[in-house]
Amino acid sequence: TETITTKLLIAADGTARTIAIEMEKADKAKRDSMGFFEKIKYGPSFHIKRYVDDNQRVYKTIPMKVPSKWRNDLNFSARSKDGRILFDSLPADANGNQCAVLLLKKDDEMAQPNSDPRALRKLFDDFLPQFSALLDDDMIATV
């Protein structure tokens, strides 16, 4: 086991917080074995800062093919002004196939299972017209 010491650690550990929880346990065990003055010399304890998730999103994946005149080595992205919709598309291969992700707020009607395909089409037409034209009605119905 290697020990690394730092004053600040910023990491992406996922929602389970597996690494952070282990680091917190290790720090507590070390501090529990110290006397009062050792704890003062050692410095502040390790703690996890948790934030309330007030921006929960539901994602829907959408296979999409971009026209041959579009570059396929780019990620495409669009957002609505009000933050309702986030759309990102990444290249899946060299043939123009992309994997798109539509992110919606958790309580959005389009984020619910079995949402109305006509309403989703309207949403794409209104907010994402550049991508709506690339998705046929059968694809919209499966999203």
Side-chain angles (χ1 to χ4, degrees), residues 8-130:
L8 175 65
L9 173 66
I10 300 172
D13 189 19
T15 58
R17 307 304 308 258
T18 306
I19 295 169
I21 289 168
E22 289 304 313
M23 291 173 69
E24 193 173 49
K25 284 181 190 175
D27 185 69
K28 182 178 179 344
K30 184 171 184 170
R31 294 180 73 77
D32 286 349
S33 69
M34 294 178 179
F36 177 76
F37 292 109
E38 285 178 291
K39 287 179 185 177
I40 292 172
K41 182 180 175 189
Y42 185 66
S45 62
F46 177 86
H47 63 278
I48 300 170
K49 174 67 177 167
R50 297 185 188 274
Y51 296 93
V52 175
D53 186 357
D54 61 355
N55 190 23
Q56 293 182 15
R57 299 282 177 157
V58 171
Y59 71 91
K60 295 188 175 200
T61 56
I62 306 168
M64 183 176 80
K65 186 165 181 87
V66 296
S68 59
K69 63 184 175 185
W70 289 23
R71 287 186 58 179
N72 188 43
D73 60 344
L74 297 175
N75 297 354
F76 297 101
S77 182
R79 292 169 176 37
S80 61
K81 276 186 183 178
D82 61 2
R84 177 184 180 193
I85 302 166
L86 298 122
F87 183 86
D88 288 299
S89 180
L90 293 92
D93 62 24
N95 301 318
N97 292 305
Q98 298 252 327
C99 178
V101 178
L102 177 66
L103 291 161
L104 299 158
K105 292 186 177 184
K106 182 177 147 181
D107 58 350
D108 191 291
E109 65 179 300
M110 293 295 101
Q112 308 313 309
N114 304 314
S115 58
D116 181 6
R118 292 171 304 212
L120 184 59
R121 170 61 75 194
K122 181 165 176 23
L123 180 86
F124 267 90
D125 288 345
D126 291 348
F127 291 99
L128 303 165
Q130 68 276 38

